[in-house]
Amino acid sequence: MDRTETLRPLTAEFLGSLLLAAVVIGSGIMAQRLSPDDVGLQLLENAFATALGLGVLILLLQPISGAHFNPVVTLADAFLTRAWRRVAPFAAAQIVGCIAGAILANAMFAAPIAWSTTERATPAHLLSEIIATAGLVLVIFVLARTGRGALAPVAVGAYIGAAYFFTASTSFANPAITIGRMFSDTFAGIAPASAPGFVIAQLIGGALGLAITVWLTPKHAD
């Protein structure tokens, strides 16, 4: 594989992660400004935009890199396909992309680039992240291993949109987006002190989702 073919998937992961963070944080800022006195409506607006944006990004970039945008998804994919060599570069592209997307979202709304002050690392939030991430991995890889990967843009977007409401954490389910959201002191942010707990919970959830996937689909091709 030549250098261009190696860089193209990394570019897709960086760009997708950047735009995902911009969608999540930008729609959170807009929701906060449009509905300043209604947190429930803010969450609905944020979730709706994220679900649609994520679906579009997966549809756009899935043929190029697999549209992971998430180190947990990359790790799960590597476990199933033995593509371990791309874990580190994909994760780096995803993390840098999410940080850049957070900075871009702040800039679009003339919001200061500052550490978030939103504390989230309660036991309920961490349990929620385990469940949210396990469910995300389950959706992605059961579809892939049963020949229905083409449904991922709709299914993943719908799942994340729903998980905004059925989890106490609003379903970050992604270490890269967790890191990116530290850089925005807005509705969608997370305080740096809360981020390590979220990342650990997401890794646990990813492992749980992968174990369930393998149990449910042991004979299906990856």
Side-chain angles (χ1 to χ4, degrees), residues 77-92:
D77 181 69
F79 181 87
L80 294 171
T81 65
R82 301 299 185 261
W84 293 107
R85 292 179 61 183
R86 69 179 185 178
V87 170
F90 265 41

Side-chain angles (χ1 to χ4, degrees), residues 58-131:
I58 295 172
L59 186 64
L60 179 67
L61 297 172
Q62 190 178 41
I64 301 168
S65 68
H68 296 181
F69 317 144
N70 185 336
V72 169
V73 174
T74 299
L75 280 168
D77 181 69
F79 181 87
L80 294 171
T81 65
R82 301 299 185 261
W84 293 107
R85 292 179 61 183
R86 69 179 185 178
V87 170
F90 265 41
Q94 292 153 1
I95 292 168
V96 173
C98 283
I99 293 172
I103 293 170
L104 176 62
N106 288 331
M108 287 193 293
F109 288 91
I113 299 170
W115 292 118
S116 175
T117 57
T118 304
E119 299 288 345
R120 297 181 184 268
T122 68
H125 284 94
L126 299 180
L127 175 60
S128 293
E129 281 302 293
I130 292 173
I131 299 303

Side-chain angles (χ1 to χ4, degrees), residues 4-62:
T4 300
E5 292 302 314
T6 300
L7 290 176
R8 190 171 286 119
L10 291 177
T11 302
E13 285 299 302
F14 171 80
L15 181 62
S17 299
L18 183 154
L19 292 174
L20 175 60
V23 168
V24 171
I25 296 171
S27 63
I29 295 171
M30 179 63 85
Q32 201 169 22
R33 294 183 179 181
L34 291 175
S35 311
D37 300 318
D38 192 334
V39 177
L41 187 54
Q42 291 175 18
L43 183 62
L44 177 61
E45 292 161 350
N46 191 204
F48 183 70
T50 299
L52 291 182
L54 178 56
V56 169
L57 290 172
I58 295 172
L59 186 64
L60 179 67
L61 297 172
Q62 190 178 41

